[in-house]
Amino acid sequence: MATIAVRILGSNSRTALRRWCRSSYSSTSAAVAEAESTEVKDYADYRRSLYGQITHKALLVDAVGTLVLPSQPMAQIYRTIGEKYGVEYSEDEILFRYRRAYGQPWGKSRLRYVNDGKPFWQYIVSYSTGCSDPQYFEELYNYYMTDKAWHLNDPGAEEVFRALRKSGVKLAVVSNFDTRLRPLLRALNCDTWFDAVAVSAEVAAEKPNPTIFLKACELLDVKPEDAVHVGDDRRNDIWGARDAGCDAWLWGCDVHSFKEVAQRIGVQV
């Protein structure tokens, strides 16, 4: 239609037509955004009518990328610790090889993380750095169980989680991780914030498999439809949680802080 209009009106009307198209697009976008905002509000009101002042009885939280973040780039740590063991690859080379190894099917098991996950991580470290020294692996493996390796993503998380629990909302971590997750949460002094922890290495199911979300709900003694999961991965966190029957919000898109999560649930901090 735009092409036909230009031919009819002549080339001098191109600028005016572009302005009209931009104006029309902006108006449409604004209308869509307003409709989505209204829909979100209506949905929240509906859930509050079920549960009182809150929209959900339980909050499930992803670990890496949502609750915690690496304190330094992975390749930098692999390189720095590895220098005394003869690692010569550059950080760029390590990162490239890490991504390639991590993206390959793990043939020894349908799960990457089984118990402590060491066989999987030994393969990743060896492939990424070209170093198979067992002492290097152990030092690197143990490093990622400490508060030096990780930090909390949201400094205000503790206050928010306390307010949520005080309001009757149950909390659980749901993570694709090995058995180092529990000591890591203790090292970061955040293990007591949660009523339960569902770790893929213990549940024998990795996100987006609905089983891990259902296990978290079972541990919290809530129905999946009463819980909302927050995570930063659309496939693993959002699709997986919804397949389990939970509500789900994408970190960095739907919500940007745990205070915002609490507010959406109906708890003021």
Side-chain angles (χ1 to χ4, degrees):
M1 181 178 287
T3 303
I4 295 174
V6 168
R7 288 176 179 172
I8 293 174
L9 297 175
S11 59
N12 291 337
S13 299
R14 290 180 187 272
T15 302
L17 182 61
R18 290 194 189 100
R19 289 174 180 168
W20 176 83
C21 288
R22 284 197 296 266
S23 175
S24 177
Y25 176 79
S26 298
S27 298
T28 301
S29 298
V32 170
E34 183 178 355
E36 288 178 348
S37 176
T38 301
E39 184 177 354
V40 168
K41 181 180 182 301
D42 289 346
Y43 181 63
D45 290 342
Y46 159 71
R47 293 195 68 93
R48 289 192 183 97
S49 72
L50 298 178
Y51 307 125
Q53 295 302 311
I54 59 175
T55 60
H56 299 82
K57 292 182 178 181
L59 171 64
L60 314 181
V61 180
D62 166 55
V64 179
T66 305
L67 179 64
V68 301
L69 294 174
S71 295
Q72 294 89 25
M74 173 277 303
Q76 178 183 325
I77 296 302
Y78 277 37
R79 168 71 180 176
T80 301
I81 294 178
E83 284 179 345
K84 60 184 175 183
Y85 296 101
V87 172
E88 298 181 350
Y89 290 156
S90 68
E91 291 181 21
D92 287 342
E93 288 174 310
I94 291 172
L95 180 60
F96 174 79
R97 294 175 66 86
Y98 177 94
R99 288 174 173 170
R100 184 174 182 180
Y102 200 89
Q104 295 297 317
W106 177 235
K108 296 184 179 181
S109 169
R110 61 187 179 86
L111 300 174
R112 292 171 297 178
Y113 314 129
V114 177
N115 297 321
D116 59 16
K118 282 190 174 182
F120 173 75
W121 286 115
Q122 284 172 332
Y123 161 71
I124 293 294
V125 170
S126 176
Y127 188 93
S128 301
T129 63
C131 179
S132 300
D133 189 315
Q135 289 185 315
Y136 168 51
F137 171 76
E138 287 297 328
E139 183 175 347
L140 195 60
Y141 181 87
N142 291 329
Y143 170 81
Y144 278 102
M145 200 166 25
T146 70
D147 58 356
K148 292 181 180 180
W150 307 90
H151 65 273
L152 294 171
N153 189 8
D154 184 346
E158 182 175 7
E159 181 184 5
V160 172
F161 290 145
R162 283 180 177 174
L164 285 166
R165 293 182 78 178
K166 188 175 180 180
S167 299
V169 179
K170 297 180 179 180
L171 305 175
V173 175
V174 180
S175 177
N176 287 350
F177 215 106
D178 52 58
T179 51
R180 288 176 293 175
L181 181 60
R182 294 180 188 277
L184 171 60
L185 296 178
R186 288 195 294 270
L188 293 171
N189 297 314
C190 63
D191 57 312
T192 58
W193 300 354
F194 301 96
D195 301 292
V197 177
V199 192
S200 62
E202 298 172 353
V203 178
E206 294 180 0
K207 297 181 293 183
N209 189 326
T211 300
I212 191 169
F213 298 98
L214 295 174
K215 182 61 177 181
C217 291
E218 178 187 329
L219 293 170
L220 295 178
D221 193 25
V222 298
K223 297 177 181 178
E225 59 265 30
D226 295 338
V228 58
H229 176 72
V230 175
D232 67 315
D233 188 291
R234 190 176 299 277
R235 176 178 178 270
N236 286 348
D237 293 305
I238 306 306
W239 297 352
R242 288 176 179 168
D243 280 349
C246 302
D247 203 354
W249 300 333
L250 185 63
W251 182 269
C253 181
D254 300 319
V255 290
H256 301 81
S257 69
F258 287 116
K259 183 176 182 179
E260 187 178 350
V261 170
Q263 290 173 340
R264 287 193 65 169
I265 291 175
V267 175
Q268 297 302 315
V269 181

